[in-house]
Amino acid sequence: MARTANPYLFANTMKPMNFRSLLIACLCAFPAMMVGAATPGASAPAEASSIVAVSQQAAVNPAQLDAATAKAIKAFPQNVGITYVYRGLPIPARLKWESGNGRYSLTIGAALFGRTRAFSSEGRIGKNGLEPEHFTDTRDGKLENEAVFDWSSHQLTLHDGDKTSVNELHAGDQDLFSAAFQFALQGVHSRNFTFSMISGRKVYKNVAFAVIEEKTWRLSGQPVDVVLLRGTFEDRVFDFWLAPQWSNLPVRMVLNMGKDAPLDLWATQIDIDGTAVLQPPTADPGSRPKSSGN
């Protein structure tokens, strides 16, 4: 049974189809959100980015950070690798987080039958936590769309195919995957649980997040306490299940984007700064985690 949420817990410490068709549908239906690209400071390939100048800004001076943020950054892992499966199916999606010198890179991608889908977020770590500068969505190595964050002018530019739009950018705004790591990094120190979430196609304005519940799951045979943060925008729902014992890393992410098929990712393997804290299950790798008491 779910327990009453304790916010201090995560203070940083269809129609039937055959299996092959289902796998193809899952990969092709990934919303424009899953992340995969460059390491901090690295330039993107020419075809994968039409604007790179913003992502080449200088590193953050630690002296500019407030004490709480600086402490959180120092304690947070610099290198994280997470392997997820999509809705319990054996379609691995691999996430990589790297940080250093006031910058971060967050990538995730999947491949199936020669087709690939990859997404990336990179930017700075500043006084408001993560400050994305560039978000990309690529399919089979070709850029589908991107978001460019210009914090100096508070301007957000979206490039979706031959369409370009310019929007206002506010402190704390995140892309669809940096949001999970913003919560992981700041925990309850975050002063803003309402912010816009951004893909390369759309701005989901003022998504209001709240701590919903706590549960204990069994992941690969070990008990793991998790905290659910849920954000809503009209009929869209964004769920991040964070594990306080592992620096609040997201062990499950559910992004329901309305017309797109929901993206539901479950962690099966986690490595933190070179140490494996979660190993893949030895049997029934497609099974989902279970909540204790249910």
Side-chain angles (χ1 to χ4, degrees), residues 64-66 69 73 124-132 151 154 170-174 182-183 185-186 189-192:
Q64 297 174 342
L65 305 179
D66 60 48
T69 301
I73 292 171
R124 294 156 54 98
I125 305 176
K127 64 180 181 179
N128 295 312
L130 301 190
E131 297 178 353
W151 294 100
H154 304 286
H170 299 278
D173 287 352
Q174 301 293 321
Q182 172 78 332
F183 284 127
L185 177 66
Q186 293 197 327
H189 296 299
S190 174
R191 299 178 179 85
N192 188 2

Side-chain angles (χ1 to χ4, degrees), residues 270-292:
I270 300 176
D271 296 283
I272 300 177
D273 288 334
T275 299
V277 298
L278 181 67
Q279 297 281 11
T282 56
D284 191 14
S287 62
R288 293 189 179 189
K290 295 181 179 180
S291 299
S292 296

Side-chain angles (χ1 to χ4, degrees), residues 12-23:
N12 200 26
T13 32
M14 263 162 86
K15 291 184 180 180
M17 61 179 72
N18 63 45
F19 185 64
R20 184 177 185 277
S21 298
L22 180 58
L23 292 180

Side-chain angles (χ1 to χ4, degrees), residues 227-248:
V227 180
L228 169 60
L229 275 89
R230 173 169 292 165
T232 57
F233 175 87
E234 297 176 353
D235 61 341
R236 278 73 164 175
V237 178
F238 308 92
D239 281 356
F240 298 121
W241 294 85
L242 309 182
Q245 71 197 64
W246 295 328
S247 301
N248 301 320

Side-chain angles (χ1 to χ4, degrees), residues 36-78:
T39 56
S43 58
E47 70 172 359
S49 173
S50 62
I51 298 180
V52 298
V54 174
S55 65
Q56 296 174 345
Q57 295 177 11
V60 173
N61 182 351
Q64 297 174 342
L65 305 179
D66 60 48
T69 301
K71 183 177 180 180
I73 292 171
K74 185 177 181 179
F76 199 74
Q78 290 189 327

Side-chain angles (χ1 to χ4, degrees), residues 69-291:
T69 301
K71 183 177 180 180
I73 292 171
K74 185 177 181 179
F76 199 74
Q78 290 189 327
N79 294 278
V80 173
I82 305 178
T83 299
Y84 296 95
V85 292
Y86 178 71
R87 284 186 174 178
L89 295 173
I91 307 175
R94 294 182 175 86
L95 177 147
K96 186 176 183 180
W97 159 273
E98 293 182 320
S99 64
N101 298 319
R103 298 193 61 80
Y104 80 91
S105 171
L106 176 60
T107 69
I108 187 171
L112 182 68
F113 301 131
R115 302 196 63 186
T116 63
R117 196 70 185 270
F119 305 78
S120 72
S121 172
E122 60 179 325
R124 294 156 54 98
I125 305 176
K127 64 180 181 179
N128 295 312
L130 301 190
E131 297 178 353
E133 293 174 345
H134 196 201
F135 177 85
T136 66
D137 170 4
T138 61
R139 187 194 296 269
D140 298 329
K142 296 182 178 180
L143 182 69
E144 291 276 306
N145 54 73
E146 66 179 342
V148 179
F149 300 70
D150 187 342
W151 294 100
S152 62
S153 63
H154 304 286
Q155 182 172 291
L156 171 72
T157 304
L158 304 183
H159 298 278
D160 182 13
D162 59 355
K163 300 177 182 178
T164 297
S165 62
V166 178
N167 303 268
E168 191 172 358
L169 185 61
H170 299 278
D173 287 352
Q174 301 293 321
D175 62 58
L176 294 172
F177 280 93
S178 68
F181 279 76
Q182 172 78 332
F183 284 127
L185 177 66
Q186 293 197 327
V188 293
H189 296 299
S190 174
R191 299 178 179 85
N192 188 2
F193 271 59
T194 299
F195 51 81
S196 295
M197 294 183 65
I198 296 154
S199 72
R201 290 195 174 108
K202 185 176 178 64
V203 178
Y204 302 90
K205 292 185 178 180
N206 300 322
V207 178
F209 278 87
V211 177
I212 301 299
E213 61 179 334
E214 297 172 21
K215 287 187 177 182
T216 299
W217 285 347
R218 294 197 69 83
L219 296 175
S220 297
Q222 61 178 301
V224 179
D225 289 331
V226 293
V227 180
L228 169 60
L229 275 89
R230 173 169 292 165
T232 57
F233 175 87
E234 297 176 353
D235 61 341
R236 278 73 164 175
V237 178
F238 308 92
D239 281 356
F240 298 121
W241 294 85
L242 309 182
Q245 71 197 64
W246 295 328
S247 301
N248 301 320
L249 292 175
V251 295
R252 184 187 179 196
M253 295 185 286
V254 183
L255 304 179
N256 189 331
M257 306 302 293
K259 294 181 180 180
D260 291 320
L263 181 66
D264 190 349
L265 299 177
W266 299 74
T268 60
Q269 182 174 356
I270 300 176
D271 296 283
I272 300 177
D273 288 334
T275 299
V277 298
L278 181 67
Q279 297 281 11
T282 56
D284 191 14
S287 62
R288 293 189 179 189
K290 295 181 179 180
S291 299

